[in-house]
Amino acid sequence: MSLSFLNTLTRTKETFVPITPGLASLYTCGPTVYDFAHIGNMRTYIFNDTLRRVLEMNGLTVHHVMNITDVGHLVGDSDFAEDKVDAKAEKEGLHPLDIAKRYETAFFEDFSRLNNKLPTDVVRATEAVDSQIELIKQLEARGFTYRDDDAIYFDTSKLSDYGKLTGQTLSEKLIGAREEVVVDTRKRNPQDFVLWFFLTGRYAHHILHWASPWGEGFPGWHVECSAISRSRLGQPFDIHTGGVDHIGTHHTNEIAQSEAAYGEPLAHYWLHGEHLMVEGKRMGKSEGNLVRLTTVEEKGFDPLDFRYLVLTAHYRSRMNFTWDALVGARKTLTSIRELVAHDTSEKGEYAQEELIRAAFNDDLDTPRALALLHQAKSGALWRKFDCVLGLNVDHLPREKHEVNSEITALKEERDQARAQKDWAKADMFRHKIEALGYRVRDTESGSVLERL
Ligand code: AMP
Ligand code: ZN
């Protein structure tokens, strides 16, 4: 059976042929751990996980690497803005690595509650600085860098196909850049980007820094993904993923650096997940419209209700988030679990099974696969494909419940008591909550209510 993906790089649907038969090497850009993730971020990780599960359904062993960005990602992905983790650390009076640890833990709590499989390797940028320095040295040796007192830069004009991922030529990008970007006189070309920051100007007191052949400093954001993917998966590897917001700058720059340094493609297939939207705007921190998974749970949803909702849209389509849609997803997932609980026959449905497999293999067409599964009305088929869907369809249907406002109010009182370190009062509220059939679980991202 053939598996195909729409490759952003070639803009065509291509049959997947792994570099090593039987294996698939997959690299995913991970989170920047300076704040809590929202369910928009989680949509992208559910897409990555679905890709991994579809590769596994095809008998491939997947080597899945994901980075954690804990240094060098600047606000607005721009040059010479604040470093997101460093800025948060300063605001909270903590060390950047403590900030990173806190939000990394919170990230993986959400990640796992959504049934995403842990990547084979998770690599923090701060733990891979040597390989990043190696990459910059290689670029320097090949004449792709220049420097001033502030930084070492990548010279995009030295690469004839810079920007090929977007399908725009450099001159088209330059026209766009003139309209959008504040021209930084430090750079020779508007699209050039920083490989290594020195401890000067805004970064004079940057807490995280390392020695390098060029002086103390820290790496620019794009460098980590080129270096980590090469060191763990080799170059080229099979598939690189991320969100659509990565195409124009982050992935374009990863390709530029890796290909310039080593004269080989970085990855063969590039897949990008579209955004989760709210009323026509991307869900995001700066848009002020984000929803966290803990809020979803507090409203009485199972995280897998959200996973189901995500699977109803193709990963390359924008998806609008509404609470009504999530209520619909909960209803449908409950009915699937009811069907699976009652229909325990194991009868084969070969023809339908092949159609469903073909839908997953056709650029991860999860909406079509779900439609076929609904048509088939077979508990056996839902069970069979749960290894791809990750919906725990054989969990018993939950009692339908909403957390009522009395319990939410008690939780808020307990949160307040804890914030004031009034432990006796906090315990009193906890007992009251338990008497009403709920437990409060304290997570890195705050407290969550669960049914006892
Ligand atoms: P960040 O932590 O900001 O680097 O983002 C982590 C991941 O979430 C990236 O792959 C982004 O592309 C993705 N992302 C950010 N906002 C959204 C959104 N609204 N919908 C889907 N994915 C998103
Ligand atoms: Zn990346």
Side-chain angles (χ1 to χ4, degrees), residues 1-219:
M1 164 142 341
S2 96
L3 168 61
S4 57
F5 302 123
L6 193 120
N7 189 350
T8 309
L9 186 63
T10 57
R11 285 159 280 279
T12 49
K13 207 180 259 186
E14 297 173 358
T15 302
F16 177 65
V17 183
I19 295 166
T20 309
L23 294 179
S25 43
L26 168 64
Y27 184 86
T28 294
C29 288
T32 307
V33 281
Y34 73 109
D35 208 338
F36 295 114
H38 52 76
I39 59 173
N41 302 131
M42 287 299 149
R43 179 185 182 198
T44 290
Y45 295 105
I46 293 171
F47 142 61
N48 285 301
D49 187 59
T50 307
L51 168 61
R52 169 172 172 176
R53 287 166 179 267
V54 168
L55 292 164
E56 288 173 348
M57 177 187 84
N58 284 275
L60 295 156
T61 301
V62 183
H63 188 175
H64 185 194
V65 177
M66 184 172 84
N67 68 307
I68 298 285
T69 301
D70 49 4
V71 69
H73 192 173
L74 307 185
V75 173
D77 298 352
S78 52
D79 293 304
F80 298 109
E82 279 183 320
D83 177 319
K84 292 182 180 187
V85 176
D86 198 71
K88 185 67 171 268
E90 196 179 321
K91 203 164 132 205
E92 301 213 3
L94 287 171
H95 192 277
L97 291 183
D98 291 332
I99 290 290
K101 179 104 199 49
R102 177 201 293 170
Y103 293 113
E104 183 189 315
T105 306
F107 172 82
F108 280 113
E109 275 173 10
D110 288 358
F111 187 92
S112 299
R113 293 173 85 69
L114 286 162
N115 244 356
N116 294 312
K117 293 187 181 187
L118 281 180
T120 339
D121 301 11
V122 174
V123 186
R124 300 182 187 100
T126 50
E127 291 170 355
V129 175
D130 286 354
S131 57
Q132 297 178 65
I133 291 175
E134 230 8 82
L135 176 79
I136 304 169
K137 271 162 72 176
Q138 186 73 16
L139 287 171
E140 187 179 43
R142 289 184 156 220
F144 283 96
T145 64
Y146 61 94
R147 65 174 290 171
D148 64 12
D149 292 342
D150 298 312
I152 306 222
Y153 306 82
F154 182 91
D155 186 346
T156 52
S157 69
K158 295 265 166 73
L159 211 56
S160 59
D161 60 357
Y162 177 81
K164 62 184 170 188
L165 190 63
T166 61
Q168 280 184 311
T169 62
L170 188 56
S171 58
E172 280 167 340
K173 278 205 93 175
L174 290 179
I175 293 164
R178 270 202 293 279
E179 287 156 6
E180 295 162 17
V181 174
V182 182
V183 176
D184 189 331
T185 50
R186 286 174 277 207
K187 295 192 282 179
R188 288 187 191 159
N189 313 289
Q191 305 308 321
D192 293 354
F193 54 93
V194 173
L195 299 166
W196 187 261
F197 290 96
F198 295 123
L199 301 180
T200 55
R202 183 193 278 282
Y203 310 119
H205 305 291
H206 199 274
I207 296 170
L208 293 174
H209 52 87
W210 293 263
S212 81
W214 315 281
E216 285 286 316
F218 63 97

Side-chain angles (χ1 to χ4, degrees), residues 349-401:
E349 309 272 355
Y350 188 72
Q352 279 156 321
E353 191 180 319
E354 285 312 290
L355 286 176
I356 296 162
R357 209 181 289 280
F360 283 125
N361 279 348
D362 180 9
D363 197 26
L364 316 180
D365 194 342
T366 53
R368 182 146 56 94
L370 287 176
L372 287 162
L373 278 159
H374 282 297
Q375 257 172 32
K377 294 193 179 58
S378 151
L381 280 180
W382 281 110
R383 273 192 294 280
K384 173 152 220 138
F385 285 104
D386 204 33
C387 58
V388 185
L389 299 167
L391 292 171
N392 293 351
V393 293
D394 54 358
H395 280 196
L396 288 178
R398 297 145 298 179
E399 281 175 55
K400 297 178 180 71
H401 72 272

Side-chain angles (χ1 to χ4, degrees), residues 29 225 250 254:
C29 288
C225 291
H250 182 51
E254 275 186 44

